[in-house]
Amino acid sequence: GLERAEKKIRAKEEEKKAMGGSGLLTEQEIIECRDAVTYGCIKFADLSCTRTNDYVFSFDKMLDDKGKTAVYLLYALTRIRSIARNAGKSRESLLEHAKQSPINLEHEGELRLAKTLLRFSEVIEEVSDTLQPHTLCNFLYEISTSFTYFYDNCYCITKDRETGEIVSIHMDRLLLVEATAQVMEKCFAILGIKTVSRM
């Protein structure tokens, strides 16, 4: 399992390198990513099924980076975390900004994502009452799909097309991105799945 996960990660890194991509993973990050993906994908596959149903163990399916898998969700979290990094904003600066002014949400994508995040305590209560962790796995996937819609329709950072310099940062949206990352990280922690900062 570890070897197959590492092979897949290294193949993705080679693809990035061949396309002249930046932000390649260090050797240490590859090992951390391999461990998180390998153990996370098995744990997530096991927990995402109802405890009364059987499932067929397929490591290839678990390692798929599309659909409701730990790999897809861990990758989504790293993408979400990269938005604030690209904007040059730390987690601390975002939290400080949140204390100083209310968040204004207007776009349908913003509202949809915020409403999804607000269900967190309700989902945790349901998981606690029913002892069915698959509900939390489904919620994680729902957050990811709501975030994808938000990301496709609501720009957080505007860059100059020629220079690539940041022209403006939409702080309310960046705060929503931070909230999304925090809720996802809490969900992964409850499920016992380790996250990584880059993939």
Side-chain angles (χ1 to χ4, degrees), residues 5 23 32 48 62 78 82 91 113 126 131 147 168:
E32 289 172 5
S48 66
M62 292 175 191
T78 61
S82 74
R91 185 180 220 164
L113 178 57
E126 182 181 343
L131 301 177
F147 184 83
S168 68

Side-chain angles (χ1 to χ4, degrees), residues 3 32 38 61 64 70 96 104-105 127 132 157 164 189 193:
E3 289 175 13
E32 289 172 5
T38 303
K61 194 173 183 181
D64 196 354
E96 191 58 40
N104 185 22
L105 305 176
V127 170
Q132 302 241 12
I157 305 167
I193 296 173

Side-chain angles (χ1 to χ4, degrees), residues 64-79:
D64 196 354
D65 56 4
K66 294 172 185 66
K68 192 170 71 172
T69 65
V71 178
Y72 171 77
L73 296 168
L74 287 167
Y75 180 70
L77 178 59
T78 61
R79 273 185 36 235

Side-chain angles (χ1 to χ4, degrees), residues 79-142:
R79 273 185 36 235
I80 290 167
R81 278 280 171 224
S82 74
I83 295 169
R85 270 198 314 269
N86 290 338
K89 300 291 180 184
S90 68
R91 185 180 220 164
E92 293 75 23
S93 69
L94 291 172
L95 294 175
E96 191 58 40
H97 183 80
K99 291 176 188 175
Q100 295 172 2
S101 61
I103 300 174
N104 185 22
L105 305 176
E106 296 174 354
H107 189 279
E108 176 192 352
E110 298 168 336
L111 295 168
R112 177 176 164 183
L113 178 57
K115 286 176 183 176
T116 301
L117 296 176
L118 287 172
R119 290 188 36 247
F120 178 62
S121 60
E122 171 190 319
V123 170
I124 295 302
E125 191 173 324
E126 182 181 343
V127 170
S128 176
D129 289 346
T130 64
L131 301 177
Q132 302 241 12
H134 74 277
T135 306
L136 188 56
C137 296
N138 292 339
F139 180 63
L140 252 175
Y141 185 68
E142 187 181 339

